[in-house]
Structures are given as C-alpha cells and as structure tokens.
Amino acid sequence: MIMSIYENYRKLREETADDVTIVLACKKRTAEEVAEVIEAGASDLGENYVQEGEKLFDALGDKARHVRWHMIGALQKNKINKALRIFDTVQTVHSAEQADAISLRAGNIGKTVSVFIEVNIGEESSKAGMPPEYDTLKSLAEHISGLEHIRLQGLMTMGPFWGDAEALRPYFRKTKEMFDRLEKLHLPDTEMKYLSMGMSDSYRVAIEEGSNMIRVGTMVFGARG
Ligand SMILES: *Cc1c(COP(=O)(O)O)cnc(C)c1O
C-alpha cells in the first residue's frame, strides 16, 4: 500500500509522544510536497540550504508563516542576512565567531533568533559541529549566553552515518549527557530545552536516549530523487 505524505505524517505524529517535536527535513522537496505536510499538521520545517529555503518559503505564501523554520545545514557568513528572513532557529552554530555574526545581524533587523549548538558527536572529520568536549561546549554556551540577539535553546547532532540505529545509541547517549550538564548550568538568557537528534532511520533509538526533537525526511516524503 502506498501512503501519501499526508498519511505518513499523520501516522508518525500519532505514534510519537506529544513532547517530541517533529521537524520535516525538506531538502530537495517541492513546494507541493511541503504544502501537503503542512496541511497534515506539520509544525516545524528544516532546510539545509538558504536559497532552497527562500524559494520554498516564498512559494508557500501564507502557509509558510504557520510553521517554524529551522536551518539544519551549514550556514555561511554571507548568507546570514538572507537566512534570518526565513529561519526562526539555526541548529548548526559551531563557533563563537559565527554566533557573533548571527547576533549582530539579528540585532540589525530587531529579531532574536533561537540557536542550537551542533555537536560532532562522532568526531568525524567530514562532519560539521563542535567536538564533543564538555569544556569546549560550555565555553560556547557561555559566550552565546552573553549575546543579545540570539538565544541558546538546545543541542543538535547528526551522529555517524555508518552502522544501524543501534550503533548510534552510545553517541545519542553521550549527546544527552552533554545536554543535561549544560542545562544544569542555568546560564542567563539560555533555555536548554531542545535536544535535536534522530532521523528517519534512527529516530526511535534517539527518542529512547532522550531526544525531544527529531528531523525526518525520507520516511514522510519518500526517497529523495
Ligand atoms: C536530510 C536531513 C535529515 C533527515 O534525513 P532523512 O534520512 O531523510 O530522514 C535530518 N537532518 C539533517 C541535518 C538532514 O540534512
């Protein structure tokens, strides 16, 4: 039986605990496909590329404003201004310099932007994100805490691609430990409330290990062309 995007989303939403936010990863999807998932009740969308996000945002018109937009790909400095028009949250902050640049530009347009620190939990050279060292993460969290126009709200991790979901479990667990330690710092102007981890093939394990925000594409939209 072939299910529609609408049905796939409804089913996932019904099977997933209410306190877990589902972010639909929209890379390479058409505006029609994304409109369908919004019709089905999607609350949060993720995009990897600023330009693709802008196109989607504009094509969706009013519908675009009924959902929260998350930047889940690498954000280059020269794209920050464009990104801030669309995105409510940047999940991929990985340096103090980048945090400064986002805060400065958010301030220029009178916005406060939610940010997550991306953790390269598998310490893979091919992946973006901060090394999974508590002291390094703590320094960046403290730095962001002192910036006026961005607010730290969580951690994001991809985890290594190799292996099955079970192989990711220790990485998810380690990310959750970091998250809890940072949360306990109770830094000013910081709300550590989202732990963004788990994708189509790993979200169940991620939730078991404490994720409360999953990012899924394939299982709702189908295989990417
Ligand atoms: C594409 C993507 C996802 C979703 O991947 P699926 O395997 O399609 O569920 C999640 N997070 C990021 C950062 C992505 O780029």
Side-chain angles (χ1 to χ4, degrees):
M1 187 181 67
I2 296 175
M3 301 225 299
S4 66
I5 291 170
Y6 189 98
E7 291 165 323
N8 288 341
Y9 176 76
R10 293 300 327 153
K11 184 163 182 283
L12 176 65
R13 186 63 277 180
E14 275 156 28
E15 290 171 359
T16 307
D18 289 345
D19 61 354
V20 175
T21 302
I22 301 173
V23 177
L24 280 306
C26 295
K27 58 179 174 280
K28 304 209 168 82
R29 306 300 175 179
T30 65
E32 289 71 27
E33 290 173 306
V34 177
E36 186 173 338
V37 87
I38 296 174
E39 292 285 331
S43 57
D44 293 75
L45 303 182
E47 248 305 334
N48 295 66
Y49 308 101
V50 174
Q51 222 170 337
E52 225 184 87
E54 287 181 298
K55 273 197 204 141
L56 263 185
F57 188 91
D58 292 336
L60 286 166
D62 265 356
K63 282 199 183 78
R65 287 171 191 85
H66 295 141
V67 291
R68 284 179 296 271
W69 290 72
H70 300 252
M71 180 59 180
I72 58 174
L75 178 57
Q76 267 122 42
K77 199 172 178 184
N78 62 357
K79 299 267 172 66
I80 295 173
N81 280 331
K82 285 187 169 168
L84 293 184
R85 179 172 75 91
I86 308 167
F87 296 104
D88 306 286
T89 300
V90 177
Q91 295 204 6
T92 52
V93 171
H94 60 264
S95 73
E97 191 196 0
Q98 188 192 25
D100 289 344
I102 298 171
S103 183
L104 178 74
R105 286 162 182 76
N108 288 342
I109 57 168
K111 232 182 166 180
T112 300
V113 180
S114 160
V115 301
F116 300 176
I117 297 173
E118 181 175 0
V119 185
N120 182 2
I121 198 70
E123 297 181 77
E124 298 163 285
S125 57
S126 63
K127 288 252 172 70
M130 298 284 290
E133 295 149 10
Y134 174 69
D135 290 338
T136 315
L137 293 174
K138 179 170 173 258
S139 300
L140 181 56
E142 285 167 346
H143 183 82
I144 295 172
S145 164
L147 295 174
E148 208 173 334
H149 302 288
I150 60 177
R151 174 170 292 236
L152 183 60
Q153 292 201 313
L155 292 187
M156 184 273 234
T157 196
M158 296 279 287
F161 278 131
W162 43 264
D164 59 355
E166 269 313 315
L168 287 169
R169 190 182 291 279
Y171 294 97
F172 289 151
R173 188 167 294 177
K174 195 169 162 194
T175 312
K176 168 74 164 131
E177 280 165 17
M178 301 270 179
F179 177 85
D180 287 343
R181 288 181 75 183
L182 293 172
E183 203 271 322
K184 287 198 184 79
L185 292 172
H186 298 294
L187 294 171
D189 299 313
T190 302
E191 284 176 284
M192 289 300 286
K193 56 178 186 179
Y194 298 112
L195 179 53
S196 173
M197 59 185 192
M199 319 205 315
S200 291
D201 53 5
S202 61
Y203 75 95
R204 285 200 178 84
V205 173
I207 291 170
E208 283 168 13
E209 295 301 332
S211 167
N212 63 6
M213 183 177 275
I214 58 175
R215 308 178 311 272
V216 298
T218 317
M219 69 171 299
V220 170
F221 292 116
R224 270 183 293 278

